[in-house]
Amino acid sequence: MEAILEGSFRSVQFYAIAQRWKTELDFFISEAKFLHDLFETYESIYFSHFFREMIRGMDQQLSKLESRYHKIDKALTLQLKVLELMVGGAVKENTGHLESRQIKLENCVAALHAEARELKKSLFAFVELAKGCDGAFSMGCQPGGPSVERLAT
């Protein structure tokens, strides 16, 4: 606790925020693993080419998000190390540079969360669509069918 008191309030605040982001991003990886498993299960259940393509598309989106996660995680880990050193008084604070990096990280984390939320909405819409199709062979669930319009909104 004494090390925390050596840093400025701004550095401590940035550290707390960055640590919260790190926790949220780590949970994203758990969610991603679950979603990949879910996509794999759904892909094995549905025989319709249309459904399989929807599932593959969502799985590919998730993989892209994971790739971005790893880049953000690397930058966030570096930011946390720098903040720990500043808060502990081991290095001099550079609040301008620190704040700039913190804002960039905040924007990256927010964008990742927003895209992950949209992907989950697509998954929920897919499940609703699939529930209303009496299996994967219903003609009403093919491209251009009435239920597909719901998925796009």
Side-chain angles (χ1 to χ4, degrees):
M1 186 67 164
E2 290 176 26
I4 290 177
L5 297 177
E6 290 179 30
S8 76
F9 176 74
R10 193 77 168 147
S11 295
V12 173
Q13 185 180 34
F14 282 161
Y15 181 83
I17 292 167
Q19 193 62 48
R20 187 185 78 228
W21 293 337
K22 177 79 170 131
T23 302
E24 290 171 2
L25 288 177
D26 288 345
F27 182 73
F28 169 78
I29 286 300
S30 297
E31 279 185 311
K33 183 184 178 330
F34 170 78
L35 290 174
H36 278 301
D37 291 344
L38 190 65
F39 292 146
E40 187 177 311
T41 300
Y42 271 123
E43 192 172 355
S44 68
I45 291 173
Y46 291 104
F47 298 105
S48 164
H49 177 72
F50 173 65
F51 278 139
R52 284 178 174 235
E53 288 304 310
M54 289 174 64
I55 293 166
R56 285 184 190 128
M58 288 185 285
D59 198 38
Q60 287 172 353
Q61 278 182 285
L62 181 59
S63 292
K64 288 178 184 175
L65 286 176
E66 283 178 294
S67 176
R68 289 199 19 236
Y69 157 83
H70 290 294
K71 291 176 185 173
I72 295 168
D73 186 58
K74 190 175 182 178
L76 186 55
T77 299
L78 177 62
Q79 179 82 338
L80 282 166
K81 286 179 183 177
V82 169
L83 285 165
E84 285 172 5
L85 293 171
M86 286 181 180
V87 167
V91 296
K92 185 179 176 196
E93 284 192 33
N94 180 348
T95 53
H97 180 68
L98 187 64
E99 188 169 347
S100 172
R101 287 183 56 181
Q102 193 82 1
I103 289 169
K104 287 178 187 175
L105 282 167
E106 179 178 18
N107 291 335
C108 289
V109 169
L112 185 73
H113 279 307
E115 289 179 46
R117 190 171 29 257
E118 288 303 311
L119 177 61
K120 287 185 246 181
K121 284 181 184 178
S122 294
L123 175 60
F124 298 155
F126 169 80
V127 170
E128 288 299 313
L129 175 65
K131 273 184 9 185
C133 284
D134 291 337
F137 302 106
S138 173
M139 292 305 289
C141 295
Q142 297 301 314
S147 300
V148 176
E149 273 42 87
R150 279 194 347 223
L151 187 61
T153 58

